[in-house]
Amino acid sequence: MGIVASVLKKFHGGVHPTGHKELTERCAIEPMPMPERLIVPLHQHLGAPSVPVVQVGDKVFKGDLLGASGGFVSAAIHAPTSGTIQAIQEHPVGHPSGLTMLCVVIAPDGADQWNPGLKGTADPTTLDPSAIRDRIKGAGIVGLGGATFPSFIKLSPPRDKVVDLLLINAVECEPYLTCDARLMEERPQDVVAGIRIMLHALQTKQCVIGIEANKPKAIAAMEKAVAGQSDIRVVSLPVMYPQGSEKQLIEVVTGRQVPSKGLPVDVGVIVHNVATAVAIRDTIELGHPLVSRIVTVTGGGITRPANVEVLIGTLVDDVIRHCGGLKSHTKKVIMGGPMMGLALHQTDIPVVKGTSGILALTAEESSGKTEHPCIRCGSCVNACPIQLVPCTMAWFAKTDQIDQLPKVDLFDCIECGSCAYVCPANIPLVHYFRYGKLTLQAKDREDKKKALTKQRSQAREERLAREKEEKERKKEEMKAKMAAKKSDVGSSSEVKTGSPTVSKKVTAKGGTATDSKGGGDDPPVDHAKTAKGTSLPEE
Amino acid sequence: MIEAVLGMGGLALAAGLGLGFAAKKFHVEGDPRVDNLTALLPATNCGNCGYPGCRPYAEALISEEISNIGLCAPGGMETMEKIAAMLGVEPVEMEADTGPKVAYVREEDCIGCTACIKACPVDAIIGANKQSHTVIVEMCTACKACIEPCPVDCIDMVPVPVTLYSWTWSKPGDHGAVH
């Protein structure tokens, strides 16, 4: 196993947040009763939004297509249950802005019946790798670790790149979350089946499953499942946040560093999340598209913490109610993990493909301290896994020196939050970075529009000049023609009879115009009528 | 007598050569500040500021013919602030900048006179004679050049709604910031 380092490497920095995994690590994955309605957003993945292909009133089976992929980097979206399309409307979604997105609202019929046309393949190795990719694409499978990048793209490496290793990300380094650990304990054979399909699709010979050492049961279950299969290895990793970040995981396992702006495939590795492996197995072997996911519902504010299999489109409210509701001293609800998750403005928003957790945090669990000036202690520099200088980046963002930000490699930041976690001055560093990133993107859009404006303004001036020139040329031509006709005296009778009629018409029309302006006088109106009357037959 | 003529003539020649040389040597190609200022303006030449184009407005500001730096509607608050920084003057109050806007033709009222089409400095309005016109939103610079020529006042300036794709984070500590 040449590519896998014999001794595990370390990535720079990292932090040790308290795990809090004991709240849910013994909670078996449980189903949830069917909610009253499901609100399925049409953009749950990285890339272009999906395009709705159903209409209000349509009856759908579970697994029917609701939204078609809207581009190459995009994903299809399917009906999470059978029922009727109630509406296609804007609804608030899990986004920091609190803005709305186009969603398909389904009223479940209670039967929860899969489309009978969905068929799986018992032996996926009989399928062509491209057929596997097409089915994964058609099933709308995206990275379930939270990044929601369309999975089929990561299974289609460019021809000039060699993939030495499939790395399964089962690190689950975010505190509180246990959904991946439970999945490995309960369905280890399905994880292995998913890995086999991916190895076949990639035509790769080796796989490593990376699991942090704080999940001994998951490690044991996976080791048992891969016993006797020399090409798949389970590696227990020392606990360190953010080890679940793709590039950090690759460095730990292989010792290779993914270059800035590069992709894992540049160093011969493809990384997929462990839950994605199971989703791929379900798609290929059962024919089921991605319509549900496992969500860890936890935190000090949840009455009954649990791991729940939730249909995509179920409202956070319904999930919390299923888990006994919120305790009264809950301070905030977070979608995702506590380090990188998103604090919700409201809880009537749907669970999407990237929702790994729903955390209800109490005041003691959440930070919310006031920001103090930077004391330049350098703690953030030591903690940054990318070896950036977070304090300088935050300073540039804070003082609106936006142009400086790309020079300090802002776009290499993975927003893991390690810097903000260790900052003794409670500076919301990640918030500054997000502000900086989006402001730069907005500026880029504006610059593009300015360039377009300049281009269109110039094009218009050129057009006007051209038109003027053309007009003048025509004028010259007409003059030349008239001159030629004047000199040609012999056949001028027709022209002479024609021209008085024209002039008569002009005067008649001029008359009506002044009349209407003067308004109401009888004789001119009559005059106009007669003028019209006389001019009509001639026309 | 002749000495005086020669002396004066020589002096005149020397002065003339000197002046001629200086004029060539120290020639200034216009005021570079005008170029710099013109570069800040949107280059639509919409005339909304009351000058025939962006450059004339820049010239007027540099020559201190006028002092109002807030006349460029398409540039908005941002451009005004940049001009203020460049000229070293205080920013001025502008018509309440409530975010980006675009022109919108109320199609049921439009009579299809093409007056606005002719006025648009970026050809962002489409339509034909006696056919309702409409604005290509992505290209409209909100210069308002189309408002005045419309004989039936059917063009409004409407705010561009913020979407998930145009929204940006506010700075920590700013109003409306989310922690």
Side-chain angles (χ1 to χ4, degrees), chain A residues 372-436:
Chain A
H372 295 290
C374 175
I375 55 170
R376 304 201 58 79
C377 64
S379 302
C380 54
V381 182
N382 289 334
C384 180
I386 316 288
Q387 304 182 42
L388 302 174
V389 188
C391 49
T392 306
M393 287 156 59
W395 173 253
F396 283 143
K398 185 174 184 161
T399 52
D400 278 314
Q401 300 181 61
I402 299 293
D403 297 337
Q404 299 291 327
L405 285 169
K407 294 180 198 160
V408 288
D409 300 315
L410 173 72
F411 285 99
D412 280 328
C413 169
I414 56 169
E415 301 177 18
C416 68
S418 299
C419 50
Y421 180 79
V422 296
C423 180
N426 303 319
I427 299 171
L429 289 133
V430 178
H431 188 168
Y432 279 115
F433 305 153
R434 287 175 176 162
Y435 162 73

Side-chain angles (χ1 to χ4, degrees), chain A residues 43 49 95-97 100-101 397-398 400 431-432 434-435 438 445-446 449 453-454 456-457 460-461 463, chain B residues 42-45 78 118 120-123 138-141 162-172 178:
Chain A
H43 194 182
H95 189 271
S97 63
T100 60
M101 181 193 286
K398 185 174 184 161
D400 278 314
H431 188 168
Y432 279 115
R434 287 175 176 162
Y435 162 73
L438 286 199
R445 281 198 298 271
E446 226 165 71
K449 177 156 186 182
T453 301
K454 230 169 224 184
R456 290 186 69 82
S457 169
R460 178 173 186 265
E461 268 157 31
R463 175 175 63 79
Chain B
T44 49
N45 296 327
E78 199 194 320
K118 286 176 193 136
C120 180
V122 287
D123 282 342
E138 291 78 33
M139 289 162 188
C140 176
T141 63
V162 177
T163 66
L164 287 173
Y165 309 103
S166 65
W167 176 87
T168 60
W169 283 88
S170 55
K171 203 167 18 167
V178 186

Side-chain angles (χ1 to χ4, degrees), chain A residues 501 504-505 508 527-539:
Chain A
T501 335
K504 213 189 230 171
K505 258 194 211 169
H527 173 71
K529 271 180 189 167
T530 49
K532 265 187 191 166
T534 49
S535 64
L536 267 172
E538 281 172 21
E539 283 176 2

Side-chain angles (χ1 to χ4, degrees), chain A residues 486-497:
Chain A
K486 259 184 194 167
S487 63
D488 189 11
V489 192
S491 58
S492 62
S493 58
E494 268 182 49
V495 181
K496 272 183 183 170
T497 48

Side-chain angles (χ1 to χ4, degrees), chain A residues 79-96:
Chain A
T81 186
S82 54
T84 315
I85 307 295
Q86 214 171 42
I88 299 171
Q89 64 186 36
E90 293 284 326
H91 188 86
V93 289
H95 189 271

Side-chain angles (χ1 to χ4, degrees), chain A residues 253-271:
Chain A
V253 173
T254 69
R256 298 181 186 181
Q257 269 197 353
V258 180
S260 169
K261 296 183 186 74
L263 293 171
V265 73
D266 295 334
V267 294
V269 183
I270 292 282
V271 183

